[in-house]
Amino acid sequence: MASIRPYRPEDLEGLYDVCLKTGDSGQDATALYRDKHLLGAIYAAPYGRLAPELAFVAEDGGRVAGYIVGTADTRAFAALLEVRWWPVLRAAHADPQGVPWAERTPDQHLERLFHKPNLAPEPVVATYPAHLHINLLPHLQGQGMGQRMMDTLSTALKAVGAPGLHLGVSEANTRAQRFYDTYGFTRFPEQQTPGTIWMVRELA
């Protein structure tokens, strides 16, 4: 049976792998990208490296089959990324800013985020400063594992005093929206970002 445990440094490649295999609105994105580490470098790995106390994995058969990662202070974490994470990636990946948006490859769309990261809207972060990313491989979905992982991270966030939690989900990913609805998230009352639904939940 799969179990939830704190992240360990040797789990890093597992974060990259799960992020890629769930990176197309929950489906396998392996065929979309030439560089298999790009998605994980944005949405998973930096949390394991820079905020391991708020990173947990679902271990199944001795391998990482899911994760939940986050931070209690979104703005402070963004500042940390600017110092300790993005510079290395920017040096290794050219900014495709000069390439028209419609002509960029899938890899270039992600590489652009190394140079200009997406930031959660200030009205969302002001009240719900914590955020998370969660992914599970398909064979662990629909078994209550996602809710158990949400409970695990929520407890850890409460312990460090985070009053509220937010996440962004694609408008196209209706399955994820239903999961977050079930867990008690609500939609932020004003649309802030085209194509993204910001969902929030009080922790206090």
Side-chain angles (χ1 to χ4, degrees):
M1 290 183 62
S3 60
I4 300 170
R5 60 166 175 78
Y7 169 86
R8 298 194 292 250
E10 59 265 32
D11 298 325
L12 184 63
E13 194 60 35
L15 296 189
Y16 282 113
D17 183 61
V18 172
C19 190
L20 180 65
K21 290 180 177 175
T22 57
D24 184 13
S25 293
Q27 303 301 309
D28 192 346
T30 301
L32 298 179
Y33 302 105
R34 293 182 61 188
D35 187 331
K36 307 308 181 185
H37 282 77
L38 294 181
L39 270 175
I42 299 169
Y43 299 111
Y47 298 85
R49 292 289 299 273
L50 303 179
E53 71 282 359
L54 292 173
F56 303 88
V57 301
E59 183 179 285
D60 186 37
R63 70 186 183 109
V64 174
Y67 64 79
I68 188 166
V69 296
T71 177
D73 187 332
T74 292
R75 290 294 181 247
F77 190 71
L80 183 62
L81 291 175
E82 285 295 332
V83 174
R84 297 184 55 190
W85 191 255
W86 299 132
V88 173
L89 291 166
R90 289 167 181 164
H93 298 269
D95 186 351
Q97 183 179 13
V99 180
W101 192 92
E103 297 178 14
R104 294 176 190 173
T105 67
D107 283 43
Q108 287 175 321
H109 282 294
L110 294 180
E111 288 169 331
R112 176 60 179 152
L113 295 177
F114 296 165
H115 296 268
K116 187 175 176 57
N118 286 336
L119 298 177
E122 188 58 40
V124 175
V125 176
T127 306
Y128 306 93
H131 77 258
L132 67 84
H133 298 284
I134 179 173
N135 279 302
L136 287 169
L137 293 181
H139 74 279
L140 289 186
Q141 297 174 11
Q143 303 177 32
M145 176 60 75
Q147 182 161 344
R148 288 171 54 199
M149 296 188 79
M150 293 287 287
D151 288 343
T152 299
L153 182 61
S154 294
T155 297
L157 288 169
K158 289 178 184 178
V160 296
L165 175 63
H166 74 268
L167 56 89
V169 59
S170 167
E171 289 181 338
N173 196 347
T174 56
R175 181 177 182 180
Q177 293 170 38
R178 289 194 297 271
F179 169 73
Y180 298 128
D181 286 337
T182 300
Y183 196 74
F185 281 82
T186 60
R187 282 131 176 94
F188 195 74
E190 299 176 9
Q191 177 72 7
Q192 299 287 327
T193 309
T196 298
I197 295 174
W198 293 100
M199 304 188 74
V200 297
R201 180 172 178 262
E202 291 186 0
L203 290 173

